[in-house]
Structure formats: structure tokens, C-alpha cells
């Protein structure tokens, strides 16, 4: 999720802009322009790079983090360091009078900024510890973001394929289940993709809630989810898929536009993994079984309407 700095962090954004403009105004008001011969261009490149990078760090924090105590400490801390760095940069163009309070203004904000940043990092550590405990079902040791779906937070198909390959090497029985959300394209057309993404996130949470810690849940494609169930018997796999199907069927999703509950109907399929199979064969057979069930349901629905 991304945040708009000018709406989600309006006060922090204004504070950073004020700090930067204050440094420019203070330096321009008190300083006198140096001669060309006195300007050290190498120092300008180094100190200018520091100012630029602190502004980039602040922008990334404002865009990627929600409003919180951690965000405030980090942004203000880096902002104060940026204030001092900006004064140091402008010193290369402007000569300031040798007053003690000028040196304090250049040095103290950087020190205070480092202290606030350290406090923010401490609270960030605590926050991450809590989040890691909440995300145990998503195997928090995995930090390869390219294998995680940005919408649902579940694994992508590539990670599931590698997990299936590992199970095929072992001798333990495992089952692979598929869950397809019926008429999801109609939902998107009626309520928009933003609501569709929100529905997928809610479905993902329900799937995780109804699966075991050893199961691997992924968003395989579009509105199709798959669950890898290691060391599982046929009876256990059927019970798990029935529980998932029942949970999704009774999930009352409140659409933002109408405030009415929408109940989801799903199609499920199961297949057992054998040592002689390969990943592509398993997923293809499971997908074919799923499509066949969806076709049978459509035929039955038409016959019921007639």
C-alpha cells in the first residue's frame, strides 16, 4: 500500500518543506556570496548528495508508511539532519558571520535528528516484531518480495511451484487444492477494481485463518487460489477444503458503495501429489478439474433457471 504525503502525512510533509525553506532563507539572509575561486566544488558534490539522499529517504518513508509514532520519529529525525546538511551545503556558496549561535544551528539539529531517528528505529524494531508474529502464516523468513503478491500478501505461483517440487522429492503424501471465486469479473465490473482488490485481500485472510501453519497458500492467477497441504491424507484434505469453502460462502463482504453484504460462491478442486508427477502436470490437471467443475455448475444453473 502506498500513501499520498500531501494527504496522509500533511503535517509531516509541511514540516519537512518548512525545515528546508528555513535553512535556505536563514543561509541567504545571513550569508554573503563567495567568489568563484573560493567555492569548493568537490565539497558541494558531497554535501549536495547528502541533502539529496535525505530528501529521498524522507519521501520513501512518507510514501510507504502509514501515519504512526514510528513514521513521525523517523521523518522528523531525518528532516532535522537534512536541515543541518542543507546549511552545510549552502555554506559552500555563502559566507556566514562567525557567530557562535550560527554553529549551534548547524550542529545541534543534526544531533537531535540522529537521536530522534534512533528512537524511531527502536519503535520500528518493536513494530516489526509484532508484525512478524502476526505474519507467521506467511513464512516471514521469506523476504523475496518478487515471490509475494502485492495485492493479497500471499505467495505467487512461482513460489508454489518451488514448494511443490520440494514435496515431490520427499516421500510424504501431499494434496494440492484450488479455490476459484465465481463471477469475480462481474464483481469487478460492477464495483470497480479497488473493491475487487479489497475482496481478494479479505479472502486471503480467511484462507490463512482456515489453513494450518504447514500449508502453503498462494494466489495462483487472478481469482484462483491454491493451497499446498504437506503430509496430509485424502480425508484431511477434503475436510480442509470443505471448511475453506464454508468459510468463504458465509463471508459477508460489505461493498463500500452500497453498504450491502455480498456473499461469495466458490468452486474447489483437489488432486494428490505423487512422486512420479511433476509440478506442471499437477497444476495442469488440477486446473482442468477446476474448469470442468465450473462448466458443470454453469450447466446445472442454466437447467435450474429453465
Amino acid at each position: 500500500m502506498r500513501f499520498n504525503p500531501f494527504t496522509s502525512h500533511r503535517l509531516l510533509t509541511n514540516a519537512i518543506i518548512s525545515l528546508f525553506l528555513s535553512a535556505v532563507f536563514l543561509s541567504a539572509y545571513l550569508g554573503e556570496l563567495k567568489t568563484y575561486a573560493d567555492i569548493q566544488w568537490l565539497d558541494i558534490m558531497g554535501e549536495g548528495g547528502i541533502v539529496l539522499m535525505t530528501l529521498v529517504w524522507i519521501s520513501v518513508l512518507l510514501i510507504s508508511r502509514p501515519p504512526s509514532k514510528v513514521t513521525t520519529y523517523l521523518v522528523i529525525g531525518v528532516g532535522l539532519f537534512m536541515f543541518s546538511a542543507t546549511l552545510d551545503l549552502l555554506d559552500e556558496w555563502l559566507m556566514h558571520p562567525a557567530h557562535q549561535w550560527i554553529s549551534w544551528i548547524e550542529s545541534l539539529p543534526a544531533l537531535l535528528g540522529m537521536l530522534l531517528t534512533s528512537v524511531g528505529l527502536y519503535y520500528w524494531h518493536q513494530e516489526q516484531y509484532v508484525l512478524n508474529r502476526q505474519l507467521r502464516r506467511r513464512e516471514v523468513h521469506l523476504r523475496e518480495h518478487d515471490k509475494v503478491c502485492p495485492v493479497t500478501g500471499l505467495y505467487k505461483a512461482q513460489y508454489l511451484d518451488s514448494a511443490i517440487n520440494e514435496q515431490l522429492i520427499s516421500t510424504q503424501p501431499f494434496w494440492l487444492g484450488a479455490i476459484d471465486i465465481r463471477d469475480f469479473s462481474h464483481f469487478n465490473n460492477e464495483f470497480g477494481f479497488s473493491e475487487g482488490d479489497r475482496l481478494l485481500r479479505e479472502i486471503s485472510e480467511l484462507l490463512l485463518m482456515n489453513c494450518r501453519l504447514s500449508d502453503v497458500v498462494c494466489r495462483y492467477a487472478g481469482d484462483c487460489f491454491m493451497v499446498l497441504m504437506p503430509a496430509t491424507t485424502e480425508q484431511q484434505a477434503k475436510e480442509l477444503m470443505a471448511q475453506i469453502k464454508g468459510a468463504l460462502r458465509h463471508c459477508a463482504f460489505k461493498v463500500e458503495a452500497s453498504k450491502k453484504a455480498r456473499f461469495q460462491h466458490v468452486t474447489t478442486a483437489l488432486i494428490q501429489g505423487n512422486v512420479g508427477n511433476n509440478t506442471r502436470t499437477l497444476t495442469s490437471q488440477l486446473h482442468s478439474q477446476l474448469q470442468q467443475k465450473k462448466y458443470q455448475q454453469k450447466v446445472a444453473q442454466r437447467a435450474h433457471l429453465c
Side-chain angles (χ1 to χ4, degrees):
M1 182 179 294
R2 298 182 185 275
F3 300 90
N4 188 331
F6 296 98
T7 56
S8 301
H9 303 286
R10 186 178 305 166
L11 291 178
L12 282 178
T13 302
N14 290 336
I16 295 302
I17 294 174
S18 300
L19 282 172
F20 181 77
L21 294 179
S22 298
V24 173
F25 174 78
L26 185 64
S27 186
Y29 179 75
L30 297 175
E32 295 181 1
L33 190 64
K34 293 182 179 180
T35 62
Y36 184 83
D38 293 331
I39 296 177
Q40 301 293 325
W41 294 104
L42 187 60
D43 290 344
I44 289 175
M45 290 178 59
E47 294 173 5
I50 293 174
V51 174
L52 179 61
M53 289 309 301
T54 53
L55 289 172
V56 170
W57 294 344
I58 291 169
S59 300
V60 171
L61 284 170
L62 293 174
I63 291 172
S64 59
R65 285 197 53 85
S68 67
K69 178 171 59 177
V70 174
T71 307
T72 301
Y73 276 120
L74 291 175
V75 170
I76 295 299
V78 179
L80 288 172
F81 183 82
M82 177 271 300
F83 175 82
S84 293
T86 303
L87 288 176
D88 288 339
L89 171 63
L90 295 175
D91 279 350
E92 302 300 327
W93 278 293
L94 301 167
M95 184 179 297
H96 294 148
H99 292 305
Q100 187 68 28
W101 63 273
I102 295 280
S103 300
W104 290 352
I105 291 177
E106 288 184 1
S107 303
L108 290 180
L111 176 60
L112 179 60
M114 291 297 97
L115 290 174
L116 291 177
T117 303
S118 300
V119 173
L121 289 173
Y122 170 74
Y123 284 123
W124 196 355
H125 164 73
Q126 290 186 322
E127 176 190 85
Q128 195 61 45
Y129 175 75
V130 174
L131 290 175
N132 285 346
R133 292 183 63 185
Q134 291 179 339
L135 295 174
R136 282 196 313 165
R137 288 179 178 271
R138 292 186 172 96
E139 297 183 54
V140 295
H141 63 271
L142 181 69
R143 296 298 182 184
E144 298 178 55
H145 300 297
D146 58 324
K147 295 181 181 179
V148 176
C149 170
V151 175
T152 63
L154 301 178
Y155 296 120
K156 293 181 181 178
Q158 296 90 330
Y159 181 79
L160 180 68
D161 291 343
S162 63
I164 293 174
N165 286 330
E166 292 179 2
Q167 290 298 317
L168 288 172
I169 297 173
S170 68
T171 57
Q172 290 184 324
F174 72 94
W175 285 78
L176 188 64
I179 303 104
D180 184 90
I181 310 302
R182 275 189 258 165
D183 299 323
F184 182 71
S185 58
H186 296 162
F187 184 93
N188 273 335
N189 292 334
E190 185 175 356
F191 301 107
F193 289 101
S194 177
E195 283 295 283
D197 288 347
R198 193 166 70 89
L199 173 60
L200 289 176
R201 284 193 290 271
E202 296 296 333
I203 289 173
S204 302
E205 293 297 330
L206 271 177
L207 290 176
L208 290 170
M209 189 182 303
N210 285 274
C211 288
R212 304 163 301 182
L213 290 175
S214 58
D215 299 331
V216 178
V217 185
C218 90
R219 181 189 180 191
Y220 200 77
D223 58 348
C224 179
F225 298 84
M226 286 195 182
V227 181
L228 175 63
M229 295 165 276
T232 304
T233 64
E234 181 178 2
Q235 183 62 29
Q236 290 172 334
K238 288 181 177 179
E239 287 179 1
L240 184 61
M241 294 302 291
Q243 291 166 0
I244 290 174
K245 191 172 183 179
L248 292 174
R249 186 171 63 246
H250 293 94
C251 174
F253 180 78
K254 303 297 192 302
V255 179
E256 185 66 25
S258 63
K259 304 295 182 182
K260 293 182 179 179
R262 299 280 298 206
F263 294 89
Q264 307 307 312
H265 300 282
V266 300
T267 305
T268 60
L270 265 174
I271 192 171
Q272 185 178 22
N274 298 312
V275 178
N277 296 131
N278 58 57
T279 303
R280 181 172 296 181
T281 301
L282 274 176
T283 54
S284 297
Q285 290 177 354
L286 184 62
H287 187 263
S288 298
Q289 185 185 145
L290 191 67
Q291 294 302 316
Q292 184 178 2
K293 283 191 173 183
K294 288 172 65 178
Y295 176 75
Q296 292 173 351
Q297 287 170 350
K298 287 183 179 179
V299 171
Q301 187 177 9
R302 288 172 185 171
H304 177 73
L305 292 174
C306 294

